[in-house]
Amino acid sequence: MVVASKDKKLASAVQQLLASSNLRISTSSDVTGVEIAGALKNVLAIAAGIVEGMHLGNNCMAALVAQGCSEIRWLATKMGAKPTTLSGLSGSGDIMLTCFVNLSRNRNVGLRLGSGEKLGEILDSMNQVAEGVSTAGAVIALAQKYNVKLPVLTAVARIIDNELTPKRAVMELMNLPQVEEV
């Protein structure tokens, strides 16, 4: 786990309070990076679930998650986050867990969307909250505010808003201009 605070003494105190032989706690002063990665990983996990639900395969999954990680980094650094935070435990570590583990609520929402279920039916059947559903709406506003292109995360927001089907989202993403990797 990561405890983030601009107050290093407070972060250290919380770290010491929560740490145990079964729980390792790291600290970070990059509150923005930890918060943005922690929120947007849930939107990315919905996308990962959609890929799984549509049976698009491991290569597609790897490409999607790598692209999503880049999108989270692009936005977070524009918002003042440190790139190292996004490649650490609260960034890449949390993203891997949320995107690839069957217990992930957000991944399961995506899996069911990718399998053709409607969002309302999925949410009605759940007794837990999939945070990525409500967080997705903020993606478009943040992308516009910080002038960052976030095609994967934006596609999830549009699927959640019922503007786009998962199949159409895949077609749109695959038809984006070919670019140099950055």
Side-chain angles (χ1 to χ4, degrees), residues 55-116:
H55 307 288
L56 297 176
N58 294 329
N59 288 337
C60 185
M61 179 68 76
L64 172 102
V65 173
Q67 174 66 28
C69 287
S70 291
E71 292 180 19
I72 291 169
R73 184 183 75 245
W74 298 335
L75 177 61
T77 54
K78 282 261 186 141
M79 295 175 73
K82 298 175 188 171
T84 52
T85 300
L86 304 165
S87 62
L89 182 61
S90 60
S92 296
D94 211 6
I95 288 167
M96 283 187 249
L97 179 68
T98 309
C99 288
F100 301 131
V101 174
N102 290 334
L103 294 175
S104 166
R105 298 177 304 271
N106 294 289
R107 182 184 175 281
N108 285 322
V109 167
L111 192 137
R112 293 173 68 183
L113 285 168
S115 297

Side-chain angles (χ1 to χ4, degrees), residues 38-47 49-50 98 101-113 118-138 156-157 160:
L40 296 186
K41 67 147 194 253
N42 295 315
V43 179
L44 182 54
I46 293 172
I50 290 170
T98 309
V101 174
N102 290 334
L103 294 175
S104 166
R105 298 177 304 271
N106 294 289
R107 182 184 175 281
N108 285 322
V109 167
L111 192 137
R112 293 173 68 183
L113 285 168
K118 300 291 181 202
L119 181 63
E121 295 168 3
I122 297 167
L123 296 178
D124 287 346
S125 73
M126 294 177 67
N127 58 5
Q128 294 179 310
V129 175
E131 300 91 338
V133 173
S134 56
T135 304
V156 173
I160 296 297

Side-chain angles (χ1 to χ4, degrees), residues 45-56 60 64 106-119 122 151-152 154-175:
I46 293 172
I50 290 170
V51 166
E52 184 76 18
M54 292 178 71
H55 307 288
L56 297 176
C60 185
L64 172 102
N106 294 289
R107 182 184 175 281
N108 285 322
V109 167
L111 192 137
R112 293 173 68 183
L113 285 168
S115 297
E117 289 186 60
K118 300 291 181 202
L119 181 63
I122 297 167
V152 168
T154 300
V156 173
R158 292 176 62 208
I159 291 167
I160 296 297
D161 287 344
N162 206 30
E163 294 176 22
L164 202 56
T165 65
K167 184 176 182 177
R168 183 77 187 143
V170 169
M171 288 173 43
E172 284 188 12
L173 290 169
M174 291 304 295
N175 285 312

